Amino acid sequence: NAGVTQTPKFQVLKTGQSMTLQCAQDMNHNSMYWYRQDPGMGLRLIYYSASEGTTDKGEVPNGYNVSRLNKREFSLRLESAAPSQTSVYFCASSRMDRGLGSPLHFGNGTRLTVT
Amino acid sequence: DQQVKQNSPSLSVQEGRISILNCDYTNSMFDYFLWYKKYPAEGPTFLISISSIKDKNEDGRFTVFLNKSAKHLSLHIVPSQPGDSAVYFCAARGTYKYIFGTGTRLKVLA
């Protein structure tokens, strides 16, 4: 089982360049999420999609856009990369069954460096 | 404003002893709490969770305790093993959103 797949695994950008991080899940989950992990800051929520067709801002949305392409795929776009966006990015998904509780399942991350 | 806090950045424990990791939260609307384990260069993996209507949940060597009046969550690992050495994150769920703490690095000494 693939679970949550993120591409690419590594990326180096110059300041001002753009790129899209891809995420796909094969667990038929309703909700999908993008987090960034920085030293001493833990995992911070960038954007999430509670269900297909909806997206909402998380804790640190500035400088990012997202697209929920279909139920499986949720992409994160950096329109004009900045050094402050150097981080490890994680995509996650959840069944989001509020009655039973539903953990997040994470991909293995994309390590992004902006120079 | 940090809604979920892990005040201990690191913890060292002898193999075979108990590891206790702590987490505090501020939002009384959180309804579901989770613990994740993370190894370097991997994504976080789910360990154990607890609903806000319970105060304890066990799964093998892992037990999570929830004290709602104190807005405090803890993870107990007994007995601790060297393979438990990792970064542990607590998380809390609001409406569709999962908010994470900053993590505690656990080192289990053989």
Side-chain angles (χ1 to χ4, degrees), chain A residues 6-87:
Chain A
Q6 292 183 237
T7 55
K9 288 183 168 42
F10 301 95
Q11 185 70 51
V12 179
L13 292 178
K14 290 186 174 9
T15 297
Q17 287 185 317
S18 63
M19 80 160 294
T20 300
L21 282 66
Q22 307 286 354
C23 175
Q25 52 92 9
D26 62 2
M27 294 172 284
N28 200 34
H29 284 170
N30 294 319
S31 302
M32 297 185 74
Y33 303 79
W34 277 105
Y35 288 86
R36 60 179 287 175
Q37 185 192 10
D38 302 290
M41 304 294 288
L43 291 156
R44 292 183 292 170
L45 180 63
I46 305 171
Y47 270 93
Y48 66 102
S49 171
S51 60
E52 190 178 352
T54 69
T55 60
D56 283 286
K57 294 178 181 179
E59 302 166 276
V60 289
N62 291 345
Y64 305 95
N65 285 303
V66 290
S67 296
R68 184 74 183 266
L69 304 168
N70 48 56
K71 191 171 185 179
R72 290 187 63 246
E73 298 172 287
F74 189 40
S75 62
L76 178 72
R77 182 158 178 85
L78 287 70
E79 289 291 352
S80 179
S84 60
Q85 294 178 304
T86 293
S87 188

Side-chain angles (χ1 to χ4, degrees), chain B residues 44-63:
Chain B
T45 54
F46 170 69
L47 263 181
I48 191 168
S49 64
I50 187 166
S51 164
S52 60
I53 62 173
K54 296 190 173 182
D55 55 19
K56 179 181 174 181
N57 188 28
E58 284 181 85
D59 185 0
R61 296 186 298 115
F62 302 92
T63 303

Side-chain angles (χ1 to χ4, degrees), chain B residues 24-26 28 52 54-55 66-73:
Chain B
D24 296 296
Y25 62 95
T26 58
S28 58
S52 60
K54 296 190 173 182
D55 55 19
L66 176 62
N67 181 334
K68 280 197 297 182
S69 61
K71 294 191 178 68
H72 180 79
L73 187 69

Side-chain angles (χ1 to χ4, degrees), chain B residues 8-15 17-21 80 85 104-109:
Chain B
S8 298
S10 63
L11 174 69
S12 291
V13 170
Q14 284 295 131
E15 181 180 5
R17 306 294 293 266
I18 185 171
S19 295
I20 300 177
L21 294 93
S80 301
S85 297
T104 296
R105 184 178 301 279
L106 173 66
K107 189 170 184 179
V108 180
L109 307 168

